[in-house]
Amino acid sequence: MSGGDRIDQTSSRTNGRGEAGAGPPSTPPDLLAAPGYLVRRMYQAYTALWGQTVDSTLTGPQFAVLTAVEHDPGVDQGSLASVIALDRSTMADVARRLEDRGLITRATSTTDSRRKLLHLTTHGTQVLAETNQRARDLDRLLLQGSPPEGRERLMRDLIQLAEDWEKLTQR
């Protein structure tokens, strides 16, 4: 093999087209133009940060249930599912887990035996209060890259986008 025929063995990375030494691949522009892809990336980062900074044992959905039950004590499990954007079976599982941990109680409605009414326990109130401060700290961390004067607008836009996408599922 002559000097001109020498193969560079210092890098086995390719750019996806077989060219050595090109570095890691970049995100395709089509994905960067896809709102669903970007939302999924944001959610993955949010979930990782939640576990690192807020609570490694209380999930985001569990926190949402506790927050909503504190806001509306005695709410029925089925109604709460739609309020916090969980399907009914997931809601039932989350509520059962919270009850097993002693954070909520579920009582059967006296007017409809199919309805489960939710209340925070004293322990649930304590856990929510402790977790809530760390969740608010995470909110500030997530928004720190946005200019302070634009944060309120960003939150309004996110709420509107969530409502618009939810309407699409009801067609």
Side-chain angles (χ1 to χ4, degrees):
M1 196 182 320
S2 69
D5 297 324
R6 198 177 119 189
I7 298 173
D8 180 10
Q9 297 178 357
T10 60
S11 174
S12 61
R13 290 185 299 188
T14 66
N15 67 359
R17 294 178 296 277
E19 298 171 14
S26 61
T27 304
D30 286 350
L31 288 179
L32 293 176
Y37 169 78
L38 296 172
V39 168
R40 186 179 61 78
R41 277 183 57 186
M42 290 169 55
Y43 183 70
Q44 286 177 316
Y46 168 78
T47 301
L49 287 167
W50 178 275
Q52 292 169 11
T53 62
V54 179
D55 196 317
S56 61
T57 61
L58 189 68
T59 66
Q62 290 172 337
F63 177 75
V65 169
L66 295 178
T67 300
V69 171
E70 180 185 53
H71 180 264
D72 194 7
V75 65
D76 75 276
Q77 189 172 295
S79 297
L80 186 59
S82 63
V83 168
I84 62 171
L86 291 178
D87 63 73
R88 291 175 82 82
S89 62
T90 301
M91 178 67 211
D93 183 54
V94 169
R96 182 187 46 76
R97 290 174 190 264
L98 291 172
E99 183 180 39
D100 290 348
R101 290 179 59 191
L103 301 176
I104 65 169
T105 60
R106 293 189 303 167
T108 302
S109 168
T110 57
T111 60
D112 183 348
S113 62
R114 296 170 296 176
R115 293 177 63 212
K116 299 291 185 193
L117 308 179
L118 308 179
H119 293 273
L120 288 180
T121 63
T122 301
H123 181 54
T125 301
Q126 292 169 341
V127 167
L128 179 59
E130 294 165 4
T131 306
N132 192 48
Q133 183 55 53
R134 291 189 303 274
R136 299 298 67 85
D137 292 343
L138 176 57
D139 292 344
R140 285 187 285 282
L141 176 66
L142 293 171
L143 293 174
Q144 76 181 2
S146 299
E149 63 279 1
R151 291 177 189 167
E152 191 174 313
R153 163 97 192 211
L154 173 62
M155 292 306 298
R156 280 194 315 269
D157 289 347
L158 288 172
I159 290 167
Q160 186 63 56
L161 187 60
E163 290 172 356
D164 291 348
W165 286 18
E166 286 168 348
K167 287 177 189 169
L168 294 173
T169 68
Q170 298 167 2
R171 288 183 170 187

